[in-house]
Amino acid sequence: MVPSGAAGVNEARDRFRADLLEAGLLIPTGVDGLYGGSERYESVVRALDDLIDRVGADQRARMIRFPPVMPWANFVANGYLESFPDQMGSVHGFGGDQRQHAELVRRAEHGEDRGPLLRATDMVLRPAACHPLYPTMRGVLPEEGCRVNVSGTCFRHEPSTDPFRMQVFRMHEYVYLGTPERARDHRDEWLRRGIDTLGRLDLPVESVVANDPFFGRPGRMLAANQRDEELKFEIVTPVYASEPPTAIASANCHLDHFGRPFGIETARGDVAHSSCFGFGLDRIALALFNRHGTDPNAWPAAARSVLWP
Amino acid sequence: MVPSGAAGVNEARDRFRADLLEAGLLIPTGVDGLYGGSERYESVVRALDDLIDRVGADQRARMIRFPPVMPWANFVANGYLESFPDQMGSVHGFGGDQRQHAELVRRAEHGEDRGPLLRATDMVLRPAACHPLYPTMRGVLPEEGCRVNVSGTCFRHEPSTDPFRMQVFRMHEYVYLGTPERARDHRDEWLRRGIDTLGRLDLPVESVVANDPFFGRPGRMLAANQRDEELKFEIVTPVYASEPPTAIASANCHLDHFGRPFGIETARGDVAHSSCFGFGLDRIALALFNRHGTDPNAWPAAARSVLWP
């Protein structure tokens, strides 16, 4: 008898994970949610990254790439520490002398806590591709606002054996900064483009109202508010038979969440609003492998021609 | 009068940095050595990354891409903590309750130390593209050994205003694992290929014996030993008139440094030796901008045709 409920879900996850490892697509590192990618896996991620550049080519967005580490000060100023402290990857260094170094090595070799011997730096791993962008946009925007194409590696501290929940993953986003109306239009336009693009990859998708996993009790109110105002949508696709579908992209209205702390103004002199649409590159790649099998050469021709035109 | 010595050097660095920022190639983040890259800058980094894949295509190396974060246990086991503690970027998270969260936010807003409220995770930023590879190679190698192509983002905690000394940077490597003789041959072969490839980009380069910046007093002996045994070579190119040339690639014999802790064996049953050749993608890109100017369209045609065939 096939177990139902939670056990059934875990079985489907474990089977998919085993398939990925057996096919050599992901290389386990010994840390949950942290994998190397094979040439085949990475070729799909790169094809997706390039596809998303093509899908937005008509928008003449400014393209910028930021590293996976961002300034701590901006992480605090944009409210991430306040809302999602449990997901952070704070970067700490060593500034001690030889004696402290010897103690650090001793602790490491005995599996003891290294924390007290290290010092927090002015950096943190970025949780979203667009977060390093906003502080660099300080000032007055042009009349039509500003569109930006960002892509890169992100970190969220949520160890899991579900391949869809990686701790380090790639995200490709289109961001808009400008008036509230145009920010919402950008979000809605990209939600349409996202559904269309993912559908052309032969993934069954739909958009649903969603919320971010805000921390603690006050977080529940923030999440409820986010849903009520329909600020966040996710594009989801079914991946495990007995489980709700999984988010592979998301569309977000930020209101003035980034414009206010970083002093970004519209041409009219108001605080800028912003919005973004993010494609989860690893999640889309995994959804493709999950639906179409572990060999991209055997994927549906139509989906292949979208990825490798 | 042009100042000489240290002041002159800093002036050349500052001028180059100002040129890069003015041309919009690098976008400052407020943290020294941490930049965003413009479309133009990133197109050069990507062209280099692809060029290096082509230069090694005949070697049929296995291609793997690892994320910028690696397991702490492997970072300790491979000796990096022992030799270069001052360069590490240890990843710390928050596992506290709402009260501790409130205190964390308060400290962050007042610029107070967050370290004591965070906990070290089982992860660390990787200092070199190849470091996550070795623990995944445990076991017996094929007769001919194993060649691997790795590329990705690395971190070293050395804040500097010199654009050539980024804290987060990209590195593309060819690694060999097998017998001592073949490991040395791989290193020497790639040193030749590296010099040839960089020369075709119209960079004046030479190879020099080098050493890593080992920590502390015992580190001086390790560094001297590394030079005596000619384990490390760097490919250097002049970038600032009054200063020694800058390393843009390096070739390393590891002996059994990785084979021993990670249980990697040759077909004969000996501990595997390894070697690697690493191209510093950001440093090569910067050397190109430094030598040929900030507009790649105006670079020498021969160099352009190597990058964009």
Side-chain angles (χ1 to χ4, degrees), chain B residues 12 16 164 237-241 243-246 248 283 286-287 290:
Chain B
F16 181 50
F164 280 93
T237 191
V239 294
Y240 303 130
E243 213 181 344
T246 291
I248 55 176
R283 285 199 176 187
L286 290 168
N290 182 279

Side-chain angles (χ1 to χ4, degrees), chain A residues 252-266:
Chain A
N252 302 276
C253 271
H254 312 136
L255 306 178
D256 62 359
H257 183 82
F258 293 106
R260 190 169 296 280
F262 299 118
I264 311 167
E265 285 179 29
T266 67

Side-chain angles (χ1 to χ4, degrees), chain B residues 24-38:
Chain B
L25 288 164
L26 296 184
I27 295 114
T29 65
V31 169
D32 285 340
L34 191 67
Y35 304 92
S38 72

Side-chain angles (χ1 to χ4, degrees), chain A residues 24 27-32 34-40 42 46 49-50 53 61-72 74 76 80-98 101 104-105 108-109 113-115 118-125 132 135-136 153 155 157 167-168 170 215-218, chain B residues 24 27-32 34-40 42 46 49-50 53 61-72 74 76 80-98 101 104-105 108-109 113-115 118-125 132 135-136 153 155 157 167-168 170 215-218:
Chain A
I27 294 113
T29 65
V31 168
D32 285 341
L34 190 66
Y35 304 93
S38 72
E39 179 163 11
R40 183 181 284 186
E42 293 296 316
R46 177 159 170 170
D49 207 20
D50 292 345
D53 280 337
R62 186 174 160 209
M63 188 182 285
I64 315 183
R65 297 292 177 259
F66 289 97
V69 164
M70 65 179 277
W72 170 259
N74 298 332
V76 175
Y80 203 89
L81 179 69
E82 179 119 33
S83 292
F84 314 102
D86 45 336
Q87 302 206 351
M88 103 174 100
S90 175
V91 179
H92 296 222
F94 176 74
D97 60 17
Q98 262 177 247
H101 178 225
L104 176 62
V105 171
E109 284 168 355
D113 186 17
R114 66 188 183 271
L118 304 186
R119 279 205 302 234
T121 70
D122 51 0
M123 292 172 279
V124 61
L125 285 155
T136 71
T153 303
F155 175 92
H157 189 221
Q167 298 202 69
V168 182
R170 274 76 57 98
F215 179 77
R217 205 175 314 162
Chain B
I27 295 114
T29 65
V31 169
D32 285 340
L34 191 67
Y35 304 92
S38 72
E39 180 163 9
R40 182 181 285 189
E42 294 295 317
R46 178 160 170 168
D49 208 19
D50 291 346
D53 280 337
R62 186 174 159 207
M63 189 182 283
I64 315 183
R65 298 292 177 256
F66 289 96
V69 164
M70 65 180 277
W72 171 258
N74 298 333
V76 175
Y80 203 89
L81 179 68
E82 179 118 33
S83 292
F84 314 103
D86 44 334
Q87 302 206 351
M88 103 174 99
S90 176
V91 179
H92 295 223
F94 176 75
D97 60 16
Q98 261 178 247
H101 178 225
L104 176 61
V105 171
E109 283 169 354
D113 185 18
R114 67 189 182 272
L118 304 187
R119 278 205 303 233
T121 70
D122 52 359
M123 291 171 280
V124 62
L125 285 156
T136 71
T153 303
F155 176 91
H157 189 221
Q167 298 201 70
V168 183
R170 273 78 54 101
F215 179 76
R217 207 176 311 162

Side-chain angles (χ1 to χ4, degrees), chain B residues 200-234:
Chain B
R200 283 158 60 214
L201 296 174
D202 209 354
L203 294 174
V205 290
E206 60 173 335
S207 71
V208 296
V209 174
N211 64 269
D212 290 307
F214 292 95
F215 179 76
R217 207 176 311 162
R220 278 180 234 158
M221 221 170 61
L222 292 169
N225 189 53
Q226 194 183 27
R227 294 187 83 95
D228 287 349
E229 296 197 32
E230 299 198 342
L231 297 176
K232 186 183 190 76
F233 286 86
E234 287 177 341

